Amino acid sequence: MARAGKDKLKEAPEKTTRIQEINRRLILDAALDIFSTYGFRGTTIDQIAERAGMSKPNLLYYFPRKQNIYVTLLEETLAEWLAPLAEIDAEGDPIEQLRKYITLKINMSETHPEASRLFANEVLHGAPAISDFLTKHLKPLVDEKAAVIRRWVGEGKLAPVDPYHLIFMIWATTQHYADFDVQVRAIMGSQVGRPGFKEQTAQAVLSIILNGIRPRG
Amino acid sequence: MARAGKDKLKEAPEKTTRIQEINRRLILDAALDIFSTYGFRGTTIDQIAERAGMSKPNLLYYFPRKQNIYVTLLEETLAEWLAPLAEIDAEGDPIEQLRKYITLKINMSETHPEASRLFANEVLHGAPAISDFLTKHLKPLVDEKAAVIRRWVGEGKLAPVDPYHLIFMIWATTQHYADFDVQVRAIMGSQVGRPGFKEQTAQAVLSIILNGIRPRG
DNA sequence: CTGCATTTTGACCAAGTAGTCAAGTTTTTG
DNA sequence: CAAAAACTTGACTACTTGGTCAAAATGCAG
């Protein structure tokens, strides 16, 4: 694009003012709360604006379309959500690496349940806004880690398991505690809020999965 | 209210005509498709009416409110969805019973993914329409089966696992294939549709969970 | 066939909601 | 400190959508 040009020649000037930074953050934080609770269609711009403490036209000054807020939010959070998977170290001890991964995921489910619900809702409805991301970024990453796990199996360091199904099981189980929180609470009652609950959950999940894939024989 | 009365005195006459039966079925079938795809708020009455092949006012003749269709649908499907859990036999062999349960759940995820998604969406959004059901029917049933599993553990027939977390893991893992179908497809591609896929899934899930809870030592 | 009950629908209404706009206010900058 | 740029908002529009209604069409019992 622009070659040369004077100082002032701003073409796609991405300069963000202090106020912009503050308000975009305010909006996105509010939007995460609302979208994750009510879904895309169930959320109104007015709700987000109120939660963010500004008028609707003002909000629309920063994000001209409702879709923009939603997509920005998904993009912002997806990377963070996937990060733990990328950290699985092919050179580390298999059981230790998977223990670390599962623990991280359970922690995230507890500290960022809204993010989990935002994705769950999006995927449940066919992932209209992120199907590209799924095939272009998620799949390659999963393929890579699946290859690592398959190698571990080949080396006899893990029982023979299909790596993809193992990854799905870890996702499903850990995110269940965020996505189905109401159900978990309806069944386990007051235990859920209590201090040691997360540790107890981690212990149970780790115990089953790790023993399920530990080499036998 | 009215006691006695002649033959013709119909009070709360639940007589359903042939046409009523046909049309209510038509509506509910259409509604399951649409609600499970777009959620409650994301679904319009017009969409359901079109899919059911009738006019909107006609649909509203059978179900005066959108809510009515939704709630009827949930009630109709919940019982069926929970049935396999009730079948776990306290007197049977633990591993065999759980193998049967998991297999049934995986089959249901494949044959009725819409039902799974309908619940997932409802629970994800805080279960506004079924929170009563969760505490009054689901919890007691789960408590009962958890007690059975706990007894099995006590008898040394299973490794020491928390029964609630085990049940959650089974739900999460099996329903994942229905609820997150797009994601599974994005990652595993054409394999998903292929004949043996369900069996391969069942094999992987059973292998990890059953080995994870088999008594050790 | 006839009259009553059931079913069906076009036209309509009211509420809710995404997005616009022009006019004001505040912040930044030369 | 003045002018420009950035920001803010009340009032409004266009459209979607849940639900109504009265009148027409159909089904059915005697």
Side-chain angles (χ1 to χ4, degrees):
Chain A
M1 318 188 158
R3 52 274 83 123
K6 307 256 189 79
D7 262 49
K8 289 231 181 171
L9 215 202
K10 27 186 164 164
E11 310 222 293
E14 284 144 34
K15 77 167 169 189
T16 47
T17 69
R18 181 183 54 93
I19 295 178
Q20 270 168 40
E21 211 157 309
I22 293 173
N23 282 343
R24 286 178 64 96
R25 190 72 268 138
L26 236 41
I27 293 168
L28 289 172
D29 287 348
L32 177 56
D33 267 17
I34 314 280
F35 277 134
S36 69
T37 308
Y38 303 104
F40 183 75
R41 288 285 309 262
T43 294
T44 71
I45 298 182
D46 294 83
Q47 272 178 297
I48 302 175
E50 194 191 343
R51 169 81 55 119
M54 68 184 69
S55 69
K56 178 166 66 170
N58 198 18
L59 181 152
L60 287 164
Y61 172 74
Y62 293 100
F63 294 90
R65 313 271 142 190
K66 188 182 172 185
Q67 267 277 348
N68 297 156
I69 316 175
Y70 186 68
V71 171
T72 304
L73 212 47
L74 280 169
E75 285 171 351
E76 251 200 8
T77 338
L78 268 171
E80 180 193 352
W81 199 250
L82 260 298
L85 183 58
E87 280 179 32
I88 291 180
D89 178 10
E91 306 311 318
D93 173 68
I95 295 287
E96 262 334 292
Q97 289 299 310
L98 291 172
R99 176 193 307 279
K100 197 180 91 186
Y101 179 57
I102 292 169
T103 306
L104 268 173
K105 291 290 285 179
I106 288 180
N107 282 337
M108 288 182 74
S109 248
E110 223 220 359
T111 54
H112 300 298
E114 329 80 29
S116 186
R117 283 188 211 116
L118 187 75
F119 294 139
N121 191 67
E122 170 68 11
V123 174
L124 191 56
H125 293 3
I130 56 164
S131 61
D132 251 33
F133 178 93
L134 295 185
T135 47
K136 293 199 183 131
H137 295 91
L138 181 60
K139 178 171 163 43
L141 177 60
V142 174
D143 282 343
E144 182 200 322
K145 297 306 175 179
V148 170
I149 295 174
R150 181 163 287 135
R151 211 197 67 208
W152 284 340
V153 171
E155 293 168 353
K157 293 174 178 169
L158 289 181
V161 280
D162 180 289
Y164 292 96
H165 290 294
L166 171 60
I167 291 172
F168 291 154
M169 176 177 291
I170 294 174
W171 287 351
T173 305
T174 55
Q175 292 173 20
H176 185 86
Y177 292 91
D179 303 344
F180 292 69
D181 180 64
V182 247
Q183 188 173 263
V184 171
R185 280 171 195 277
I187 290 170
M188 302 199 69
S190 56
Q191 280 179 72
V192 179
R194 282 218 276 275
F197 183 74
K198 192 184 67 188
E199 286 70 26
Q200 183 202 336
T201 302
Q203 150 63 28
V205 172
L206 286 167
S207 154
I208 300 175
I209 297 187
L210 295 185
N211 279 308
I213 61 179
R214 214 180 283 281
R216 295 179 281 276
Chain B
M1 321 182 161
R3 53 273 80 132
K6 309 257 187 77
D7 264 51
K8 289 224 175 175
L9 217 201
K10 25 187 167 159
E11 312 220 296
E14 283 145 33
K15 77 166 174 191
T16 47
T17 69
R18 182 182 51 92
I19 295 178
Q20 270 166 40
E21 212 157 309
I22 292 173
N23 281 342
R24 287 179 61 97
R25 191 71 268 140
L26 236 42
I27 292 168
L28 290 171
D29 287 350
L32 177 56
D33 266 18
I34 314 280
F35 276 135
S36 69
T37 308
Y38 302 105
F40 182 75
R41 289 285 308 263
T43 293
T44 71
I45 299 182
D46 294 83
Q47 272 178 297
I48 303 176
E50 194 190 344
R51 169 81 55 116
M54 69 185 67
S55 68
K56 177 167 67 169
N58 197 17
L59 180 151
L60 287 165
Y61 172 74
Y62 293 101
F63 294 89
R65 312 270 142 191
K66 187 183 173 185
Q67 266 279 346
N68 297 157
I69 317 176
Y70 186 69
V71 171
T72 305
L73 213 48
L74 280 170
E75 284 170 352
E76 253 200 7
T77 339
L78 267 172
E80 180 193 351
W81 199 250
L82 261 298
L85 182 59
E87 280 179 33
I88 290 180
D89 179 8
E91 305 312 316
D93 173 66
I95 296 288
E96 262 336 293
Q97 289 298 309
L98 291 171
R99 177 195 307 281
K100 199 180 88 187
Y101 180 58
I102 293 170
T103 306
L104 268 174
K105 290 290 286 180
I106 288 180
N107 283 338
M108 288 182 74
S109 247
E110 222 220 357
T111 53
H112 301 297
E114 328 80 26
S116 185
R117 281 187 214 119
L118 187 75
F119 295 139
N121 192 66
E122 170 68 11
V123 175
L124 191 56
H125 292 6
I130 58 165
S131 60
D132 251 34
F133 178 93
L134 295 185
T135 48
K136 292 196 183 133
H137 295 91
L138 181 59
K139 178 171 163 44
L141 177 59
V142 173
D143 281 343
E144 182 201 323
K145 297 306 175 182
V148 169
I149 295 174
R150 183 163 286 137
R151 210 196 69 206
W152 284 339
V153 170
E155 292 168 352
K157 293 174 178 168
L158 289 181
V161 279
D162 179 289
Y164 292 96
H165 291 294
L166 171 59
I167 292 172
F168 292 154
M169 177 178 289
I170 294 175
W171 288 350
T173 305
T174 55
Q175 291 174 19
H176 185 86
Y177 292 92
D179 303 343
F180 292 69
D181 180 64
V182 245
Q183 188 175 263
V184 172
R185 281 172 193 276
I187 291 170
M188 301 197 70
S190 57
Q191 282 180 68
V192 180
R194 283 217 275 273
F197 183 73
K198 191 184 64 186
E199 286 70 25
Q200 182 201 336
T201 301
Q203 150 64 30
V205 172
L206 287 166
S207 153
I208 299 176
I209 297 187
L210 296 184
N211 280 309
I213 61 178
R214 213 181 283 282
R216 295 180 281 276

